[in-house]
Amino acid sequence: MQYQVLENKVKVFNITDFNLGETFDCGQCFRWDSLSDGSFIGVAFNKLLKLRLENNTLILDGCNEKDFLNIWQNYFDLKLDYRQIRNYLKSLDCTLDTITQFAPGIRILNQDPWETLCSFIISQNNNIPRIKGIISKLCSKFGNPINNSSYYSFPEFERIACLNKEDLEELKSGFRAPYILDAARKLASGYISLQDIKTMPIEDARCELMKIKGVGPKVAECTLLYGFHRLEAFPMDVWMKRAMYLLFPEHDASYFGKYAGIAQQYIFHYSRSHPEIFSR
DNA sequence: AACCAGGGTGATG
DNA sequence: CATCACCATGGT
């Protein structure tokens, strides 16, 4: 990986198959915002980052070499060859040619497991703008401000574990509030270990996550894909069910092989961006 | 006013 | 195992 370290900034060269808008807007994360100059700003792993892509150069603003190597390189999955994966998917089914071509710059982020778990608990039977709002309130109320800015870290589960239902009231998360508390408490007590889940066989990892109230197959699958980078995980929400029925009848996740999760992301984003193909 | 949103729980056949 | 009302909230 070729990169250059500047004052509070890192430039990464020869970046391909990466589009920030497509990656941040494909439904896998909820804490990145686009700015008017084409760059994006957000928080992950207690760090505030502003970034933009100029031609094939990724410019990370507010970043030193250590954070690039320890956090962002992995967060943006820069070592994985997405072109090769798309070619593999296209070789499985020519329908995937059109679908991957629609947003070829999508990458699966390596997000924090707890943040991912909590975010997708909040996502259930909910819409994306409101999910973002609830998470934003969760962070500003219980996280810590970063560099004296108005951006906040995602609160640790230890912090959430000692709260009660009334503390979460102003989030307006509704019936999901007790689920958030149950998740935080089961992690804080050690009853469930994210560290252990990391190395478990995926079937065991699913069962482990579903010990949490409010975590079913779909939320568990999203956590495994976005929080643990299990690229074979295949979340099936309402959009994916419609898309599979219409575009891949008689097939399931196994049809897409070990990169099923990445296929899922292309399909999900394509479907959500073309709702008209389902109304007929 | 009814229906929907990146679902899951608990009760009932 | 399959189905179903219900869950809290905000937007159409």
Side-chain angles (χ1 to χ4, degrees), chain A residues 147-167:
Chain A
N147 307 335
N148 287 320
S149 73
S150 57
Y151 291 87
Y152 292 82
S153 64
F154 195 93
E156 307 292 332
F157 57 74
E158 292 91 342
R159 172 85 174 98
I160 305 299
C162 56
L163 301 176
N164 55 44
K165 227 173 285 184
E166 295 76 59
D167 297 321

Side-chain angles (χ1 to χ4, degrees), chain A residues 245-256:
Chain A
Y245 178 79
L246 188 64
L247 303 173
F248 304 95
E250 303 173 10
H251 288 297
D252 62 4
S254 63
Y255 182 54
F256 304 108

Side-chain angles (χ1 to χ4, degrees), chain A residues 53 65 79 94 112-113 118 127 134 166 174 182 201 231 250 261 271:
Chain A
L53 201 46
E65 182 174 17
K79 288 183 174 171
C94 60
D112 173 69
C118 187
N127 57 64
I134 292 170
E166 295 76 59
D182 189 63
L231 298 181
E250 303 173 10
S271 302

